[in-house]
């Protein structure tokens, strides 16, 4: 629950600090006093609307949420500040607005006139499956088996779609793949060939220059024995010199041997070969990668050539799976009829309290998806949701919400109701208040009200007024509350009859 809320410098509000209790919390006040903008500011701290104050902060107790990214303890403090831009904080940790919305989503709910999301098909089916799984033997197994098979069907249909797309262009793919393979095969590179040919190229390039230099050096080597003799006369060991001369002669011999081995090498062919290999390296990165690419393309070619066979096998598997799923969806529809009846009966009880009747909830067939082939249809006396008045729709939604809260295990939720009793009679408003008192067992409820009946049932009552263009808000009790409810009954000129009726309501 929200235990404390503070705002500073927000539109017509200078500074407000409030403390809240559990149960039904109602805000009232004259039109234009600032009720809606105040409500909007509170909702924005959960990431659900656009509003910015210089500072806004609320403290939340008794909710259990976890996050891998943020440190969340028993108490949660959400803060918003605005200087050059609006920023949000969760327990003093900076947080994006969307992330804040996701973290508070499990315990926060905002209902407004244009919100129809509670009647979305997937949400209702999830609730029915939740009810059925908890009360009907075998329900969970049927649901799990169907969902497993549906996901497998989805995967196979994706495979089939790809095969069909490939099949349309398979001839083109085969031709292109063969071309890619042939391009590498025609060169037929070996792994170390390029390096070896580069060595040949370097020797060919330097051949004449090297031979010239070696011929000039040869006479010196032939006379090198004279230096050895001179060193001996000087009584110096000549072995160091002899070793160097031998090493030089070995290198020269290797060069002459390499020239001899290359006598049959065609220089032009070698250069052309190096050029072909260089093109492969430039395109694929290396000879190794070119050979790997060729092997991949050869496998692809085999796959293309087997595509018709694979397609026929996949068609048979899909047909078999669709037949299985068809039986499972029919079984699932039968299973859902019992929890649907439970939901309808429970909602009807609450609707009776809300002075509404004629509710019917039916299952209609729809296109298959992960939830099955069922569409939930709500009507009141045969009138569909879209054609209900706002008052009827609000009461129907309240009955649904109260029914769900009876079964769902989440406690200590926070619920914001935006003018839930708008366009209703006093009797209808009172009925909403009584149902909200039941709902308040699982939710802390914040509501703007224009009706004295609902306001009189609040556990906590706040009055919002505007004086000299400044909005003010305060908690009211006893005589102040009698006065405010009397104003709601008779207007600004409060009558004795209104005062008496207000006192009666508050009893």
């Amino acid at each position: 629950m929200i235990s404390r809320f503070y705002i500073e410098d927000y539109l017509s509000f200078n500074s407000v600090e409030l403390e809240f209790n559990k149960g039904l919390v109602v805000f009232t006040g004259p039109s234009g006093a600032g009720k809606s903008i105040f409500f909007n500011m509170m909702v924005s701290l959960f990431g659900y609307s656009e509003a910015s104050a210089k500072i806004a902060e609320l403290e939340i107790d008794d909710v259990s949420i976890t996050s891998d990214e943020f440190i969340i303890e028993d108490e949660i403090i959400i803060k918003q500040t605005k200087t050059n831009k609006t920023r949000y904080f969760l327990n003093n940790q900076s947080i994006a607005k969307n992330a804040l919305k996701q973290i508070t989503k499990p315990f926060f709910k905002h209902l407004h006139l244009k919100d129809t999301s509670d009647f979305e098909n997937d949400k209702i089916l999830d609730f029915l499956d939740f009810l059925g799984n908890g009360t009907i033997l075998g329900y969970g197994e049927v649901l799990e088996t169907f969902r497993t098979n549906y996901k497998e069907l989805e995967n196979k249909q994706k495979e089939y779609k790809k095969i069909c797309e490939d099949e349309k262009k398979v001839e083109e793919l085969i031709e292109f793949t063969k071309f890619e393979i042939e391009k590498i095969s025609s060169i037929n590179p070996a792994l170390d060939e390029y390096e070896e040919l580069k060595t040949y190229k370097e020797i060919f390039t330097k051949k004449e220059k090297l031979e010239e230099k070696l011929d000039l050096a040869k006479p010196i080597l032939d006379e090198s024995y004279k230096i050895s003799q001179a060193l001996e006369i000087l009584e110096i060991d000549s072995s160091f010199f002899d070793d160097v001369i031998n090493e030089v002669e070995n290198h020269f011999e290797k060069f002459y041997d390499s020239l001899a081995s290359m006598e049959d090498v065609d220089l032009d062919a070698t250069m052309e070969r190096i050029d072909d290999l260089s093109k492969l390296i430039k395109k694929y990165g290396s000879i190794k990668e070119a050979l790997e690419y060729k092997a991949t393309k050869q496998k692809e070619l085999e796959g293309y050539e087997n595509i018709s066979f694979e397609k026929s096998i996949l068609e048979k598997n899909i047909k078999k799976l669709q037949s299985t799923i068809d039986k499972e969806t029919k079984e699932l529809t039968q299973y859902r009829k019992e929890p649907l009846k439970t939901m309808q009966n429970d909602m009807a009880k609450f609707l009776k309290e809300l002075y509404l009747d004629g509710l019917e909830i039916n299952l209609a067939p729809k296109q298959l998806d992960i939830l099955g082939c069922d569409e939930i249809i709500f009507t009141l006396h045969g009138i569909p949701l879209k054609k209900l008045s706002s008052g009827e729709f609000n009461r129907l939604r309240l009955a649904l919400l109260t029914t769900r809260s009876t079964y769902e295990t989440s406690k200590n939720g926070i619920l914001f109701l935006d003018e839930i009793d708008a366009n209703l009679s006093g009797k209808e408003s009172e009925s909403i208040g009584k149902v909200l008192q039941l709902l308040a067992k699982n939710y802390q409820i914040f509501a703007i009200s224009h009706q004295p009946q609902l306001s009189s049932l609040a556990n906590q009552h706040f009055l919002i007024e505007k004086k000299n263009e400044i909005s003010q808000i305060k908690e009211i009790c006893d005589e102040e509350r009698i006065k405010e409810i009397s104003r709601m009954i008779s207007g600004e000129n409060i009558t004795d009859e209104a005062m008496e009726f207000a006192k009666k309501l508050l009893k």
Side-chain angles (χ1 to χ4, degrees):
M1 62 166 247
I2 300 173
S3 58
R4 172 182 167 272
F5 176 69
Y6 173 79
I7 53 171
E8 181 181 326
D9 192 9
Y10 170 62
L11 298 179
S12 59
F13 291 90
N14 284 341
S15 177
V16 174
E17 184 167 13
L18 303 174
E19 292 185 357
F20 299 117
N21 301 325
K22 292 182 178 180
L24 175 60
V25 182
V26 168
F27 297 86
T28 65
S31 297
K35 299 185 294 297
S36 294
I37 63 171
F38 177 81
F39 227 56
N40 195 51
M41 184 67 245
M42 290 189 73
V43 170
S44 74
L45 286 174
F46 294 90
Y48 281 80
S49 68
E50 297 294 333
S52 294
K54 181 180 179 181
I55 299 174
E57 183 175 279
L58 57 79
E59 295 180 19
I60 304 173
D61 302 324
D62 300 328
V63 293
S64 178
I65 58 173
T66 58
S67 171
D68 295 332
E69 188 176 353
F70 297 93
I71 300 171
I72 300 174
E73 299 176 348
D74 294 336
E75 186 179 75
I76 298 169
I77 298 176
I78 300 173
K79 187 174 183 179
Q80 174 258 301
T81 63
K82 183 178 181 182
T83 50
N84 295 330
K85 65 177 183 177
T86 302
R87 299 182 65 195
Y88 293 88
F89 300 88
L90 177 64
N91 290 357
N92 293 319
Q93 303 161 84
S94 181
I95 184 171
K97 187 175 181 179
N98 285 338
L100 181 62
K101 185 175 181 179
Q102 291 305 313
I103 286 178
T104 60
K105 191 175 182 179
F107 63 87
F108 173 83
K109 195 170 187 63
H110 178 214
L111 300 186
H112 50 83
L113 294 177
K114 296 180 181 178
D115 181 16
T116 61
S117 62
D118 286 302
F119 292 95
E120 289 174 357
N121 202 58
D122 57 344
K123 291 183 180 180
I124 300 297
L125 288 177
D126 278 341
F127 178 59
L128 290 183
D129 292 339
F130 168 77
L131 283 181
N133 193 30
T135 57
I136 302 173
L137 187 66
Y139 193 111
E141 288 78 2
V142 171
L143 188 63
E144 183 62 30
T145 302
F146 160 72
R147 287 179 177 171
T148 300
N149 286 335
Y150 179 81
K151 288 175 184 176
E152 185 181 351
L153 176 64
E154 272 191 322
N155 292 332
K156 290 192 179 300
Q157 286 174 332
K158 287 177 183 176
E159 289 179 42
Y160 184 75
K161 183 179 178 182
K162 186 178 184 305
I163 281 182
C164 289
E165 289 172 353
D166 289 346
E167 191 177 43
K168 291 177 184 177
K169 51 186 179 181
V170 71
E171 292 300 325
E172 181 183 338
L173 288 169
I174 289 174
E175 185 179 343
F176 174 74
T177 305
K178 285 181 175 179
F179 173 75
E180 291 284 281
I181 293 170
E182 179 58 28
K183 196 160 53 175
I184 299 172
S185 298
S186 63
I187 297 175
N188 194 26
L191 277 176
D192 300 322
E193 181 185 8
Y194 182 69
E195 286 71 21
E196 184 180 345
L197 291 178
K198 277 183 69 178
T199 303
Y200 287 163
K201 180 183 175 182
E202 289 172 5
I203 293 173
F204 273 126
T205 304
K206 299 176 182 178
K207 180 174 179 282
E208 291 184 5
K209 191 174 181 180
L210 286 171
E211 284 182 322
E212 179 186 344
K213 296 297 181 183
L214 291 179
D215 288 342
L216 291 173
K218 195 172 185 307
I220 298 172
L221 291 176
D222 292 340
E223 298 293 329
S224 64
Y225 72 91
K226 294 179 180 179
I227 295 175
S228 297
Q229 290 175 348
L231 289 171
E232 289 176 3
I233 292 171
L234 293 171
E235 296 182 351
I236 297 173
D237 186 0
S238 65
S239 59
F240 75 92
F241 177 75
D242 296 336
D243 289 341
V244 171
I245 295 300
N246 288 334
E247 183 70 20
V248 171
E249 287 177 337
N250 284 337
H251 282 297
F252 285 13
E253 285 176 10
K254 284 181 182 178
F255 172 71
Y256 287 120
D257 288 343
S258 66
L259 287 179
S261 67
M262 291 168 55
E263 285 180 358
D264 297 329
V265 175
D266 185 333
L267 178 59
D268 292 335
T270 299
M271 298 302 289
E272 187 177 333
R273 182 70 175 166
I274 290 173
D275 185 55
D276 289 340
L277 294 173
S278 296
K279 289 177 181 176
L280 286 182
I281 292 169
K282 184 176 181 181
K283 182 171 183 178
Y284 301 105
S286 68
I287 297 298
K288 181 183 177 184
E289 287 172 300
L291 292 171
E292 289 173 350
Y293 179 78
K294 175 187 170 184
T296 300
K297 286 296 173 184
Q298 285 172 329
K299 286 184 180 179
E300 285 182 10
L301 186 60
E302 292 172 8
Y304 293 141
E305 290 170 346
N306 293 329
I307 196 166
S308 296
F309 175 74
E310 290 178 9
K311 182 183 175 184
S312 64
I313 295 296
L314 201 53
E315 283 174 340
K316 291 177 183 177
N317 289 338
I318 288 173
K319 188 175 181 180
K320 183 179 179 181
L321 200 52
Q322 283 175 328
S323 176
T324 300
I325 288 174
D326 184 53
K327 293 177 183 177
E328 289 171 348
T329 53
K330 288 177 181 176
E331 188 177 6
L332 189 57
T333 297
Q334 290 301 315
Y335 267 105
R336 281 173 172 160
K337 288 182 178 179
E338 186 173 330
L340 182 73
K341 186 177 180 181
T342 299
M343 183 176 73
Q344 177 170 318
N345 290 340
D346 288 350
M347 285 184 66
K349 291 176 185 176
F350 290 117
L351 286 173
K352 186 177 180 181
E353 295 290 328
L354 295 167
Y355 300 104
L356 275 180
D357 60 8
L359 173 67
E360 284 192 16
I361 311 175
N362 294 299
L363 291 171
K366 70 168 185 62
Q367 188 174 351
L368 176 70
D369 60 23
I370 188 66
L371 296 172
C373 290
D374 298 318
E375 183 177 5
I376 310 297
I377 307 295
F378 288 83
T379 59
L380 279 178
H381 294 292
I383 301 171
L385 284 178
K386 291 182 179 179
K387 294 186 177 181
L388 295 178
S389 69
S390 60
E392 290 172 327
F393 178 79
N394 273 340
R395 282 180 284 167
L396 183 62
R397 182 172 55 179
L398 185 57
L400 173 61
L401 189 63
T402 310
T403 298
R404 293 194 65 156
S405 72
T406 304
Y407 295 97
E408 292 175 331
T409 56
S410 60
K411 303 290 182 182
N412 302 321
I414 299 169
L415 177 63
F416 277 75
L417 301 173
D418 199 346
E419 302 191 16
I420 189 69
D421 59 355
N423 304 316
L424 298 181
S425 68
K427 183 175 72 171
E428 291 166 341
S429 177
E430 183 179 9
S431 70
I432 282 182
K434 290 179 179 178
V435 172
L436 288 180
Q437 286 182 321
L438 293 174
L439 194 57
K441 293 177 181 179
N442 292 332
Y443 287 93
Q444 181 189 33
I445 303 173
F446 294 87
I448 293 175
S449 177
H450 294 286
Q451 298 281 7
Q453 288 80 4
L454 189 152
S455 302
S456 67
L457 294 170
N459 301 104
Q460 206 172 7
H461 189 161
F462 288 89
L463 173 63
I464 300 179
E465 297 178 297
K466 183 180 279 189
K467 296 179 181 178
N468 299 322
E469 299 305 313
I470 302 298
S471 294
Q472 299 173 342
I473 181 168
K474 63 177 180 179
E475 183 176 2
I476 56 174
C477 303
D478 303 328
E479 292 302 319
E480 285 186 307
R481 195 174 181 197
I482 293 172
K483 183 179 178 181
E484 169 60 10
I485 291 175
S486 299
R487 181 198 65 77
M488 298 173 75
I489 296 168
S490 63
E492 295 301 324
N493 298 317
I494 298 174
T495 64
D496 292 339
E497 290 82 359
M499 290 285 285
E500 288 302 314
F501 189 53
K503 290 176 184 178
K504 184 179 178 181
L505 286 175
L506 286 169
K507 287 182 181 180

